[in-house]
Amino acid sequence: MRFTLYFCPNYRLMKIYSYILLIMCLLIGTAGFAQVDKEDKEEKKARVKDKVDYNVFRRQMLSLKEYLDERKKIPSIQKETKMHVKVVAYVDSTDGGDDSKTLTGFIRQDVGDNSTNVYEVTYDRALKKITLVKPTGEANEIEKQEKAAPKKEPVKTVVKKKSKPKSDEDDDDDADDEKPAKGSHKDKDDE
């Protein structure tokens, strides 16, 4: 018994159509794969080398004394400004081309929405180490503002103890009997 399709009276014609459809799909698929550009091995190696240099540089920045000092300042700055403070080390990957022998990175301090580059760091790709760490002008301005700002002295408050209720006759005498607050000047009798 032979299997026939009800919607196609001619089985052979249906077979031909299915083969044509299969061939067209294969042609379209191979054309799509043929248009994908293959990277040269040299370009791929250069890209991997750049990523390795960026990672090595960033890790070296995280171990710098200056970076650790900035991290130690975070609690005091948060206490003063009452904002979220963050210190970040990042590599500027936009300034150099492939033939650049140095990389530039920054140690940035974020206080709320305000970002400040505190240190500029230079990395030598040939030596594979950091060659220069210099403070930026932005950091010097912030330190000058912090030094110039007068520090507020805490206000001392005096808390009076409440005494037991007395009769109306004693209320007039209580005003004269109050003791002076601590830290006040000596009585005039001592002079």
Side-chain angles (χ1 to χ4, degrees):
M1 181 168 186
R2 188 171 161 192
F3 179 72
T4 58
L5 298 172
Y6 293 108
F7 61 88
C8 184
N10 193 350
Y11 178 70
R12 289 185 186 186
L13 187 60
M14 182 64 182
K15 236 178 163 180
I16 293 172
Y17 286 148
S18 63
Y19 286 131
I20 291 173
L21 182 64
L22 180 66
I23 291 171
M24 289 180 69
C25 288
L26 288 174
L27 289 174
I28 291 172
T30 55
F33 283 117
Q35 291 181 4
V36 175
D37 292 331
K38 302 276 182 171
E39 288 185 355
D40 292 334
K41 289 183 180 180
E42 295 173 10
E43 289 178 9
K44 190 173 182 179
K45 285 181 183 178
R47 195 165 37 100
V48 169
K49 183 182 175 189
D50 288 344
K51 283 185 180 180
V52 169
D53 285 344
Y54 293 152
N55 287 332
V56 169
F57 180 31
R58 186 172 177 280
R59 287 185 184 196
Q60 286 182 7
M61 279 198 310
L62 292 176
S63 65
L64 283 174
K65 179 182 135 309
E66 290 83 359
Y67 177 79
L68 298 174
D69 290 344
E70 289 299 317
R71 298 247 333 144
K72 289 178 184 176
K73 294 179 187 177
I74 289 176
S76 62
I77 295 172
Q78 277 183 334
K79 196 173 191 180
E80 290 174 9
T81 62
K82 297 185 180 175
M83 297 178 122
H84 181 70
V85 178
K86 190 173 168 182
V87 175
V88 180
Y90 71 96
V91 179
D92 186 12
S93 61
T94 59
D95 67 343
D98 294 336
D99 56 349
S100 176
K101 294 180 179 158
T102 60
L103 292 174
T104 304
F106 297 96
I107 297 174
R108 184 180 71 202
Q109 182 182 48
D110 298 331
V111 180
D113 292 335
N114 187 14
S115 294
T116 307
N117 289 334
V118 183
Y119 291 98
E120 182 178 341
V121 185
T122 306
Y123 174 80
D124 189 359
R125 286 180 153 181
L127 298 174
K128 300 283 186 197
K129 65 179 188 175
I130 294 175
T131 57
L132 179 67
V133 178
K134 66 177 182 177
T136 60
E138 297 174 21
N140 295 335
E141 291 175 10
I142 291 174
E143 289 176 6
K144 287 178 184 177
Q145 289 175 359
E146 289 175 358
K147 290 178 182 177
K151 294 186 177 180
K152 296 180 182 177
E153 294 183 19
V155 178
K156 296 181 181 177
T157 57
V158 177
V159 178
K160 294 182 181 179
K161 294 182 181 178
K162 294 184 179 180
S163 60
K164 295 180 182 178
K166 297 180 180 179
S167 65
D168 293 330
E169 298 170 2
D170 293 336
D171 287 339
D172 298 333
D173 296 333
D174 287 339
D176 298 330
D177 294 335
E178 288 182 356
K179 295 181 180 178
K182 292 183 180 179
S184 64
H185 297 289
K186 295 181 179 179
D187 293 333
K188 294 181 181 178
D189 297 337
D190 293 339
E191 294 176 0

